[in-house]
Amino acid sequence: MSITPIDDDTIARLLTDWLPEQRWFAGKGLELAGVRISRREVFLDDPEVLVEHLLVDVEVDGRPQRYQVPIATAAELPGDRRTFPLTPEGASPVVYDGLRDPRSTESLLRHLAGQDEVGGLRFRLVPGATLPGPTWGRLLEGEQSNSSLVFGDDLMVKVFRLVQPGVNPDVELHAALAERECPAVAALRGWVELDDDTVGDTGAGPTTLAMAQEFMAGAADGWAMATASVRDLFAEADLLAEEVGTDFADESFRLGAAVAQVHEDLAAATGVGTRDGTDLVASMRARLDAAVAEVPELAGFADAARTVFDEVAGSGPVRVHRIHGDLHLGQTLRVPDRWIVIDFEGEPAAPLAERRVADAPARDVAGILRSLDYAAQHTLVGVEDRQLRFRAREWRDRNVDAFCTGYAEVRASDPRETGALLRAYTLDKALYEVVYETRNRPGWVAVPMGAVERILTAG
């Protein structure tokens, strides 16, 4: 071994300070304690760098979490790269994020191409999948719950940072959709898995650590497109939304059709069942109680919200199948000929078993409808201009209708006709947003709070 590894206790101390600073760390603002390295294996032993694969157990606010943390140890940092070192400036050797070392990422691609097994990590390829030639991967920046490496211009490897035992739904559902040849998703190329004996006998099978899929170079982000449309509308004071050159309604229609196609294919691939309405709203009721306890301003809406949930509970069985589970405009991409839905992982902080439970497709629809509302109003936080607020509502309502119409053309089921079910899911999402904004962006809380009031007075 060319580079001497730093001992576990030192690495654990370094991680205690380093983890909370990472964008993908799920416990920001909460107490971090009990950092422990549960698994440590050599991934690459190069004369100039040692790359190790770590699974790290932590306690966040008293709750256990496990993270995947590849680390690199070298005499010096690789030049001209944002390396996010664990060690302080001037330290020797230096320890830094292993996904930011070009030799490490090139090795990852090589092992994937060879379907190798390295230190217990198994690299798997979908039959017939193609990969670019040897090259290093560049990390996508931005707010992400995982770390995504792009190789060449057509392969992305997503490394799941928060790890739970079992097959990740992102791999599972992409594989199911690939069997249906669903046009609204990127092609699955492969994955990395591990039989992790440090989690005990869970019966979960292999644990997914990473996923390789087609990268859509040049794709436009759905959120960016929608908000650009809103900005252009505000700049054209004398035009209606439909008269602005960047009117988004046609795109909302196509997006609705794409989401409906994903739902059709998931239903066919994973099966359709029913869940009792009482079961569906149990978690909604619990979240409502928790939200009221944390945000007292919601107390005045609590009884009306419970009435919406009660209506669903009394409606009998509800048709369910596997869905996306965390859908919003930021989980969509526009490529030249179609919309693509991405990130089928579900809510990363939720237990894996919970993310794999069949649910009503209305949850995904509600996620997009709430996202359209945010796109319309996010620039108006603190703005009292009544004309702009009217135009924002016009844009939102136009695009909500277009999305639902597009959805109905594929599924022959109009979300607007599902009554209390869609209201319940949309309300549940808005309540979640009130709590989120209260914790993270108090100045924005008026956006979801206004939605809660609108949803409860519309019926």
Side-chain angles (χ1 to χ4, degrees):
M1 187 174 290
S2 304
I3 303 291
T4 301
I6 296 176
D7 65 274
D8 280 6
D9 289 342
T10 300
I11 293 295
R13 286 196 299 271
L14 293 172
L15 287 168
T16 301
D17 295 329
W18 184 81
L19 281 171
E21 298 177 353
Q22 307 314 302
R23 289 170 171 165
W24 40 260
F25 183 67
K28 287 184 175 62
L30 303 176
E31 182 182 358
L32 171 63
V35 176
R36 183 178 67 88
I37 298 173
S38 64
R39 187 181 185 280
R40 184 176 184 179
E41 296 285 349
V42 173
F43 181 73
L44 173 65
D45 185 8
D46 183 271
E48 296 181 352
V49 63
L50 171 68
V51 180
E52 299 172 275
H53 181 266
L54 275 60
L55 290 183
V56 179
D57 290 335
V58 303
E59 286 187 10
V60 178
D61 229 23
R63 293 171 295 181
Q65 292 181 345
R66 168 163 291 181
Y67 288 92
Q68 179 178 192
V69 187
I71 60 170
T73 306
E76 59 183 7
L77 297 173
D80 300 325
R81 296 185 185 280
R82 299 180 63 195
T83 50
F84 291 84
L86 283 69
T87 44
E89 185 176 355
S92 182
V94 290
V95 181
Y96 54 96
D97 186 349
L99 295 184
R100 293 183 179 272
D101 185 276
R103 295 153 295 194
S104 172
T105 60
E106 185 171 350
S107 179
L108 187 156
L109 181 61
R110 184 172 63 252
H111 290 313
L112 187 60
Q115 301 195 66
D116 300 333
E117 183 167 345
V118 181
L121 305 181
R122 292 195 300 272
F123 295 79
R124 297 290 182 253
L125 275 184
V126 171
T130 59
L131 301 179
T135 184
W136 55 269
R138 65 186 188 277
L139 267 175
L140 296 179
E141 305 294 348
E143 293 293 335
Q144 297 190 51
S145 57
N146 298 296
S147 295
S148 296
L149 291 160
V150 175
F151 296 86
D153 60 3
D154 71 339
L155 178 71
M156 183 177 73
V157 176
K158 181 194 298 184
V159 178
F160 299 113
R161 290 293 194 167
L162 185 60
V163 176
Q164 297 187 39
V167 177
N168 191 290
D170 216 358
V171 171
E172 178 191 13
L173 295 185
H174 268 94
L177 290 167
E179 291 183 1
R180 297 286 303 174
E181 299 183 347
C182 179
V185 294
L188 178 68
R189 300 279 180 82
W191 63 93
V192 184
E193 63 185 18
L194 169 73
D195 286 330
D196 182 15
D197 57 7
T198 66
V199 297
D201 185 14
T202 64
T207 291
T208 308
L209 297 179
M211 168 182 158
Q213 65 182 134
E214 177 186 11
F215 177 66
M216 300 294 187
D221 173 80
W223 171 259
M225 289 180 64
T227 52
S229 172
V230 173
R231 287 194 301 271
D232 289 348
L233 173 64
F234 289 170
E236 298 286 354
D238 57 343
L239 296 180
L240 299 174
E242 63 192 66
E243 298 171 329
V244 178
T246 53
D247 177 34
F248 196 65
D250 285 346
E251 294 298 345
S252 290
F253 176 91
R254 297 185 187 101
L255 178 58
V259 171
Q261 187 62 60
V262 167
H263 283 167
E264 281 287 288
D265 288 331
L266 283 176
T270 65
V272 176
T274 60
R275 286 175 61 186
D276 186 76
T278 302
D279 176 41
L280 280 180
V281 300
S283 58
M284 298 183 192
R285 287 168 167 163
R287 281 190 291 271
L288 170 63
D289 292 341
V292 170
E294 185 166 345
V295 186
E297 293 83 354
L298 286 170
F301 300 108
D303 288 344
R306 292 189 183 100
T307 298
V308 173
F309 298 152
D310 289 346
E311 188 174 348
V312 174
S315 65
V318 177
R319 186 175 185 266
V320 297
H321 55 72
R322 295 293 296 277
I323 61 170
H324 184 284
D326 188 30
L327 190 57
H328 51 80
L329 288 170
Q331 307 280 40
T332 66
L333 297 174
R334 184 65 162 97
V335 296
D337 60 340
R338 65 196 191 280
W339 278 95
I340 298 292
V341 179
I342 62 174
D343 291 341
F344 285 77
E345 186 182 2
E347 173 53 51
L352 200 64
E354 181 180 312
R355 288 186 266 155
R356 299 184 72 243
V357 173
D359 205 343
R363 180 180 294 281
D364 284 349
V365 172
I368 292 291
L369 301 194
R370 290 297 311 127
S371 197
L372 288 168
D373 185 40
Y374 257 83
Q377 299 201 57
H378 80 290
T379 61
L380 298 181
V381 173
V383 176
E384 299 300 327
D385 189 313
R386 295 178 62 183
Q387 178 65 16
L388 287 181
R389 291 195 172 278
F390 172 82
R391 293 171 73 76
R393 293 193 296 271
E394 175 198 19
W395 186 95
R396 178 197 66 214
D397 294 346
R398 175 173 170 77
N399 282 278
V400 164
D401 283 343
F403 177 87
C404 291
T405 300
Y407 188 97
E409 284 216 351
V410 172
R411 291 215 88 181
S413 173
D414 192 327
R416 292 165 294 193
E417 297 175 359
T418 56
L421 185 65
L422 182 59
R423 286 184 70 205
Y425 278 108
T426 310
L427 175 62
D428 182 51
K429 183 67 172 179
L431 290 168
Y432 164 84
E433 292 163 354
V434 169
V435 174
Y436 176 88
E437 301 297 10
T438 300
R439 292 175 179 174
N440 298 281
R441 298 181 296 193
W444 286 51
V445 74
V447 175
M449 190 70 81
V452 170
E453 182 176 7
R454 184 176 70 254
I455 293 165
L456 293 174
T457 58

